[in-house]
Amino acid sequence: MRHLMSPLDFTIDELYDLMKLADDIQKNRSKYAKACEGRTLATCFYEPSTRTRLSFEAAMLNLGGNVLGFASADSSSAAKGESVSDTIRVISGYADICAIRHPKEGAPLVATSHSGIPVINAGDGGHQHPTQTLTDLYTIRSLRGEIGQLTIGICGDLKFGRTVHSLINALVRYPDIRFVLISPPELVVPSYIRDDVLKARGIPFTEVKSLEDVMPELDILYMTRVQRERFFNEEDYIRMKDFYILDKAKMELAKENMLVLHPLPRVNEISVEVDDDPRAAYFTQAHNGVFIRMALILTLLKEAGSL
Ligand code: NCD
């Protein structure tokens, strides 16, 4: 049974095929309108979500399939003390594929060992968020033609931001990628990314505090929200939450074709005045999430023999 826990679960060639399929889906919507007829996706979300859950559900509905699930731990039997393992065992009898988001790192992985259906990690604590990464890669490829030869600035909460960890893991496999990691010293990337991924693979990267200073060298700026829910105390969050605010003045320092990405939701880190800048790609990115998730659902269901 094939699951998706990390973007590394797909080879570069498999990611290429997934993105080609997403392109075809985007161009020929009607061809896929019944592709998952009679199949069901369960979305088990123990943490808040707008884009990830709804884009998964939109993806399955666009494929002619059904969806069921819960949107918070309070509305499931988790509130009564049920384990993720028991929940997934039961859901394996109700659905053909399942997307799980959980505040505990590794919870979706635990689910895989008790599941009879493919499990997709839709975000586990501050660890990984592979389907956001698929969306990010697909957006970069659609807007830049290919993935490679890029200086990528990642700015904000690099410590707790799971989208950041998955994105770095995925991008190091492409040619000539250089990272500029922009954060306050308290929110730098964890050592399992700096040492075990970047240093271990000899990937060029710098860690800086000032966004202004590095703006002119970036091909992509990936902004992130300070992850309030992962902080141990509110004071630290308040001190750091407005550390970076991307506004028109800072955009003037950037290359004419630099792309601004953000997994969303944004709080204050991108001023709304940037939304009309042609380089602001974050809403396109959010829309792309549906097509790549359609491609993912189709691929995993086919491999599981359910299609
Ligand atoms: C991200 C997440 O949940 O990690 N959101 C998303 O899925 N697009 C980013 C965030 O919450 O800041």
Side-chain angles (χ1 to χ4, degrees):
M1 181 68 60
R2 185 160 201 190
H3 310 283
L4 176 67
M5 293 296 114
S6 145
L8 300 181
D9 293 344
F10 281 91
T11 65
I12 291 284
D13 288 344
E14 287 170 332
L15 285 178
Y16 179 79
D17 290 345
L18 205 65
M19 292 192 248
K20 287 249 312 206
L21 178 58
D23 276 343
D24 194 54
I25 291 170
Q26 193 164 6
K27 286 189 200 108
N28 306 292
R29 294 281 288 269
S30 57
K31 186 170 140 193
Y32 295 91
K34 293 185 174 168
C36 287
E37 213 166 42
R39 306 296 178 278
T40 300
L41 163 79
T43 52
C44 302
F45 277 57
Y46 297 83
E47 256 197 353
S49 169
T50 300
R51 266 151 298 276
T52 306
R53 189 172 60 84
L54 295 185
S55 66
F56 260 116
E57 296 192 358
M60 193 50 157
L61 294 171
N62 289 344
L63 292 167
N66 311 306
V67 293
L68 53 79
F70 52 86
S72 74
D74 308 346
S75 63
S76 77
S77 281
K80 300 182 190 166
E82 186 172 56
S83 68
V84 170
S85 320
D86 282 1
T87 304
I88 191 71
R89 228 176 245 197
V90 172
I91 285 175
S92 297
Y94 301 162
D96 302 281
I97 186 165
C98 177
I100 300 188
R101 168 169 289 190
H102 201 284
K104 282 214 181 99
E105 287 79 7
L109 184 64
V110 170
T112 59
S113 51
H114 303 271
S115 175
I117 57 175
V119 177
I120 300 167
N121 176 3
D124 61 327
H127 186 219
Q128 298 254 16
H129 192 346
T131 62
Q132 181 61 48
T133 298
L134 298 181
T135 305
D136 302 340
L137 296 178
Y138 182 54
T139 304
I140 295 171
R141 182 178 161 277
S142 330
L143 298 176
R144 300 296 294 229
E146 59 176 329
I147 308 170
Q149 290 84 42
L150 293 170
T151 296
I152 306 198
I154 309 186
C155 177
D157 188 344
L158 312 187
K159 181 179 181 185
F160 296 117
R162 56 194 173 195
T163 64
V164 173
H165 309 152
S166 287
L167 183 62
I168 293 176
N169 257 318
L171 280 174
V172 295
R173 299 189 294 177
Y174 290 90
D176 295 324
I177 298 285
R178 193 181 143 244
F179 292 97
V180 181
L181 304 174
I182 310 147
S183 75
E186 295 90 337
L187 297 179
V188 294
V189 283
S191 64
Y192 70 82
I193 296 292
R194 183 190 307 101
D195 299 335
D196 305 351
V197 181
L198 294 169
K199 285 191 184 162
R201 298 186 64 127
I203 305 294
F205 72 98
T206 50
E207 294 185 277
V208 300
K209 195 169 152 186
S210 161
L211 175 58
E212 283 91 333
D213 289 357
V214 297
M215 272 310 263
E217 53 187 279
L218 306 179
D219 299 308
I220 292 176
L221 172 59
Y222 193 93
M223 292 296 292
T224 64
R225 167 182 77 88
V226 176
Q227 307 280 299
R228 180 181 200 161
E229 63 277 33
R230 318 248 179 257
F231 273 69
F232 297 112
N233 69 69
E234 185 75 1
E235 263 166 52
D236 285 349
Y237 168 72
I238 290 168
R239 198 160 46 79
M240 277 176 270
K241 73 182 174 61
D242 294 327
F243 210 93
Y244 299 105
I245 299 181
L246 181 66
D247 55 14
K248 267 194 171 160
K250 288 198 191 77
M251 287 299 288
E252 275 171 25
L253 306 169
K255 288 184 185 172
E256 264 175 35
N257 64 347
M258 186 194 75
L259 292 179
V260 184
L261 300 180
H262 190 311
L264 302 178
R266 87 168 130 193
V267 187
N268 279 330
E269 60 281 355
I270 302 181
S271 162
V272 289
E273 66 185 23
V274 176
D275 295 357
D276 297 330
D277 189 301
R279 295 168 290 184
Y282 30 92
F283 290 114
T284 306
Q285 184 186 359
H287 293 151
N288 282 339
V290 175
F291 304 114
I292 199 77
R293 288 186 174 94
M294 288 169 78
L296 177 66
I297 291 170
L298 274 175
T299 304
L300 290 181
L301 283 179
K302 268 195 194 133
E303 288 198 25
S306 301
L307 283 181

